[in-house]
Amino acid sequence: MTAGNPYTAQLSPQVHAYVQPDGGWCVNNAGFVSEGGSTLLIDTAATLRRAHALREAVLAAGVPLPRTVVNTHHHGDHTYGNSVFLPDATVIGHDACRSEVLAAGRQLHLMWPQTDFGDVSITAPDLTYSERLTVHVGGTEVRLIHPGVAHTIGDTVVHLPEQRIVFTGDLVFQGGTPFIAMGSLSGSLRALRMLRGLGADTVVPGHGPVTDPSAFDTAERYLRFVADAAAEGHAQGLSPLESARRADLGEFAELRESERLVANLHRAYAELDGLPEGSPLDPVVVFGDMTAMNGGVPVACHA
């Protein structure tokens, strides 16, 4: 599948989403909030080329370049472009987002060495928080909320209560398969309950087109499907790969990146084994099993 051209969608007078089709591996969404005097940017991009295109999209909207960048989590598709907005911007993230950015380093370069990410300067958040933080962009209130361990151990949800808009980061993949290998199955279900409680009408997912709260229902149904498959396979002594190969995806067969099922089963098995939420899994094993589920072809970075 070929990625399409990014586009900007105005969600309210103050808020824009920046959507990068097709939303597959390494092709994430971003967004920005501005009232004309200052700008807050939500996430960057996986390559320097894409990050510079995001920078130009901000300017094309007629608002200043950001003084604040918020990272919804540490993965390189959401953070590799941070340095493009320095030195003028302060980067904010959860405490664990900072530590994970620093620990991961140029991880995407290692996973996809054929992709031209550019000469990325790893830039971790320099302002961190633990549970909640409110940022004011002019008269617009922007609430940063840590949902607990979910997609990763350091997620941030960006909620604009007055505009009834929420940027979920990778707690939601619209049209794509959820990915919880670096976080928690039970924690992701808790995070979805929290997201519903915010009362947002407009949902900007981490990947895929802008949507509405029905995306939370789809994500929950998928995660409960994973939980059921894991419980059955684990009880029978099957490996995550064996369980994944036996599973009937049903309504989820149309989601992109269906090979993520086996990665999600690895996480579900870890929780059934009593490991703490967010405990590291072996990425060689997890990505090896996804390659097996993908017909022996390694998963491709679309950036």
Side-chain angles (χ1 to χ4, degrees), residues 2-124:
T2 303
N5 293 324
Y7 61 91
T8 301
Q10 186 166 6
L11 308 180
S12 80
Q14 305 88 1
V15 185
H16 293 75
Y18 183 77
V19 179
Q20 297 195 95
D22 61 3
W25 288 103
C26 296
V27 184
N28 68 301
N29 295 335
F32 50 97
V33 181
S34 183
E35 292 187 342
S38 63
T39 300
L40 177 147
L41 177 67
I42 303 159
D43 283 333
T44 54
T47 71
L48 293 189
R49 174 181 61 82
R50 286 180 175 272
H52 281 287
L54 171 58
R55 182 182 187 276
E56 293 306 309
V58 173
L59 292 173
V63 302
L65 290 173
R67 293 195 307 204
T68 306
V69 174
V70 175
N71 289 152
T72 60
H73 60 290
H74 75 276
H75 289 159
D77 51 337
H78 297 257
T79 62
Y80 259 19
N82 285 356
S83 64
V84 167
F85 300 93
L86 299 184
D88 297 325
T90 297
V91 182
I92 303 176
H94 184 261
D95 297 333
C97 177
R98 173 179 169 82
S99 60
E100 291 295 292
V101 167
L102 295 173
R106 292 160 67 99
Q107 190 174 67
L108 296 187
H109 287 74
L110 298 175
M111 293 172 60
W112 289 287
Q114 303 307 314
T115 299
D116 182 12
F117 292 104
D119 187 16
V120 172
S121 175
I122 298 300
T123 304

Side-chain angles (χ1 to χ4, degrees), residues 206-276:
H207 297 253
V210 175
T211 183
D212 58 48
S214 67
F216 306 149
D217 300 331
T218 304
E220 180 175 356
R221 287 197 307 275
Y222 176 83
L223 292 174
R224 295 201 181 281
F225 157 74
V226 171
D228 290 343
E232 181 178 347
H234 191 271
Q236 295 177 7
L238 302 177
S239 70
L241 182 57
E242 289 168 334
S243 291
R245 284 177 163 159
R246 287 178 45 164
D248 178 2
L249 286 171
E251 68 169 301
F252 310 114
E254 299 302 315
L255 298 179
R256 294 184 307 270
E257 302 93 36
S258 62
E259 70 278 358
R260 290 179 179 165
L261 172 60
V262 69
N264 296 332
L265 285 169
H266 272 282
R267 174 55 60 192
Y269 270 48
E271 294 184 14
L272 289 170
D273 287 337
L275 294 177

Side-chain angles (χ1 to χ4, degrees), residues 266 280-287:
H266 272 282
L281 302 179
D282 186 337
V284 174
V285 173
V286 171
F287 275 82

Side-chain angles (χ1 to χ4, degrees), residues 94 145-155 171 187-188 190-191 194 277:
H94 184 261
I145 306 168
H146 175 54
V149 179
H151 174 63
T152 70
I153 64 173
D155 295 315
L171 300 180
S188 292
R190 289 196 303 271
M194 182 274 289
E277 296 178 0

